[in-house]
Amino acid sequence: MVSLKRIYTLSGLVIAIVVLAIIAFTSWYTVDESDQAVILTFGDAEDTITEPGLHFKMPWPIQSVEKLSKETFSLQFGYEEQEGEIKDFPDETKMITGDENIVLADLVVQWKITDPEKFLFNAEDPEEILYDGTSSSLRSIIGSSQIDDALTSGKAQIEADVWELLTSLVEKYDIGISILAVKLQDVELPNADVRKAFTDVTDARETMNTKINEAEKYKNQRMNEAQGEVSAIKSRAQGEQEARLQGARGDVAVFNSLYEEYRNSPEITRERLMLETMEQVLPGSEIYIMNDDGNTMKYFPIRPLEKEQQKPAAEGSENNE
């Protein structure tokens, strides 16, 4: 028979080996670059480890490790994509707009874990809370929007409003996650006839916008042409104004010169002005200067003398040639 002492010895040896094995295998852990770890001491969260590599801790059951991913997660609201196939859930995405129309809205939320301790212990199922918050936020924003905005140009504003409302809800729930982005996938009407009617309305609106843009372009073109014509007219008017001013200044200078001559020799200047005026009034006429001396009338023929002076001058120029 085997003695009790030997049984106790073997049992103690086995227990010691088991304890040493537990200590050896539970006193270290590794953290990947895409992971973050939370150290639990008797179930109480203490440190958050984000540095990748090999780390050591107290053996189990004193300390344990919970690892969470640092990557970005996607929450698909209203549909599910698995192995390239998309499954829709229309009952979840059916909602009423602010002008009492029914639409189906699918949404994707990009989020990540920013506080692992809160993610692990502040809620039993943080992802379920995030899903419910997404549904509540989307329904609230769609419920205060017009159907035209939801179907056409208002999607970006709806996404921004949903992101803002969902972020405030997540901060209020304090579940250790952050919302990175919100993207509407599909916003459509529940049946084909209504979809076609709204498509026609959308096409008509786009045609209207195109016509308005074309009219605005034509108006701008005509405005530019009119402004160019106005500038040209102003430029011509300024040129004419300047020419007239210069002419007036020249006339003033001539008048001042004549006036100065008149002051020096009033009789001579008066007669010269009279003769020049007669030449302008009666062009081509013969002018004679006559002196009435009682019985005998004498005259001085100016025009023949001018012709005689011009003739030798002309002959001299011909001889030079």
Side-chain angles (χ1 to χ4, degrees):
M1 292 184 63
V2 179
S3 65
L4 291 175
K5 183 178 180 180
R6 186 172 181 180
I7 292 175
Y8 291 150
T9 302
L10 291 174
S11 298
L13 184 60
V14 170
I15 292 173
I17 293 174
V18 171
V19 169
L20 291 175
I22 292 173
I23 293 174
F25 285 102
T26 62
S27 296
W28 59 274
Y29 63 96
T30 59
V31 177
D32 294 334
E33 292 185 356
S34 60
D35 291 337
Q36 52 191 337
V38 179
I39 305 300
L40 307 178
T41 302
F42 295 112
D44 185 21
E46 291 188 355
D47 298 328
T48 299
I49 307 299
T50 58
E51 294 294 328
L54 180 65
H55 301 273
F56 294 93
K57 64 178 183 62
M58 298 294 291
W60 183 88
I62 300 174
Q63 287 186 329
S64 60
V65 177
E66 289 286 345
K67 295 181 181 180
L68 298 171
S69 177
K70 293 191 294 185
E71 296 179 351
T72 299
F73 298 92
S74 293
L75 184 149
Q76 299 171 347
F77 177 80
Y79 72 100
E80 186 178 273
E81 184 176 357
Q82 292 182 348
E83 298 179 355
E85 296 184 359
I86 297 178
K87 182 180 180 181
D88 294 323
F89 302 100
D91 293 338
E92 296 182 4
T93 60
K94 187 180 294 184
M95 52 196 73
I96 299 177
T97 63
D99 50 359
E100 298 182 352
N101 288 283
I102 298 176
V103 294
L104 304 177
D106 297 340
L107 189 74
V108 171
V109 177
Q110 302 289 332
W111 62 279
K112 68 186 305 182
I113 301 171
T114 53
D115 193 326
E117 181 179 348
K118 292 180 180 180
F119 184 82
L120 290 171
F121 299 105
N122 282 14
E124 182 177 356
D125 192 346
E127 295 187 40
E128 183 65 25
I129 293 175
L130 176 60
Y131 188 90
D132 293 339
T134 300
S135 176
S136 175
S137 301
L138 181 59
R139 292 180 184 280
S140 175
I141 300 303
I142 291 293
S144 60
S145 302
Q146 301 295 314
I147 189 170
D148 289 345
D149 295 333
L151 293 175
T152 56
S153 59
K155 289 184 178 181
Q157 185 60 46
I158 291 175
E159 291 173 351
D161 293 340
V162 171
W163 177 87
E164 183 176 358
L165 181 56
L166 181 58
T167 299
S168 65
L169 289 176
V170 167
E171 290 177 353
K172 180 180 179 180
Y173 296 148
D174 198 24
I175 54 178
I177 66 176
S178 295
I179 307 301
L180 303 180
V182 172
K183 180 66 176 178
L184 282 170
Q185 296 300 300
D186 291 315
V187 179
E188 57 185 12
L189 298 161
N191 63 68
D193 293 337
V194 178
R195 282 198 295 271
K196 184 179 184 304
F198 271 90
T199 300
D200 294 340
V201 171
T202 302
D203 293 341
R205 183 179 294 108
E206 291 179 354
T207 301
M208 178 188 69
N209 292 333
T210 301
K211 295 296 183 182
I212 290 174
N213 292 334
E214 292 177 353
E216 191 70 21
K217 180 180 178 181
Y218 178 75
K219 183 189 77 171
N220 293 334
Q221 180 180 355
R222 295 299 298 169
M223 287 290 292
N224 292 333
E225 292 176 356
Q227 290 175 357
E229 292 177 0
V230 169
S231 299
I233 292 172
K234 286 183 178 180
S235 179
R236 289 196 298 269
Q238 291 174 355
E240 185 176 353
Q241 176 190 18
E242 188 64 24
R244 292 192 177 186
L245 285 174
Q246 294 297 333
R249 292 190 184 100
D251 293 341
V252 170
V254 172
F255 177 81
N256 290 335
S257 177
L258 291 175
Y259 179 70
E260 188 65 26
E261 292 180 5
Y262 178 78
R263 289 180 59 190
N264 296 329
S265 305
E267 293 297 330
I268 297 174
T269 303
R270 186 184 299 114
E271 291 179 1
R272 183 170 65 82
L273 291 175
M274 183 184 67
L275 292 173
E276 291 177 353
T277 303
M278 290 181 65
E279 286 182 350
Q280 293 177 1
V281 174
L282 301 172
S285 61
E286 297 291 337
I287 298 176
Y288 300 93
I289 299 176
M290 304 179 67
N291 184 16
D292 191 358
D293 191 15
N295 296 326
T296 304
M297 184 74 66
K298 295 180 181 180
Y299 66 91
F300 186 72
I302 298 238
R303 192 68 65 183
L305 290 177
E306 291 179 353
K307 293 180 178 179
E308 290 296 329
Q309 290 178 356
Q310 292 175 359
K311 185 176 180 181
E315 292 176 355
S317 62
E318 290 177 359
N319 293 332
N320 291 332
E321 292 177 358

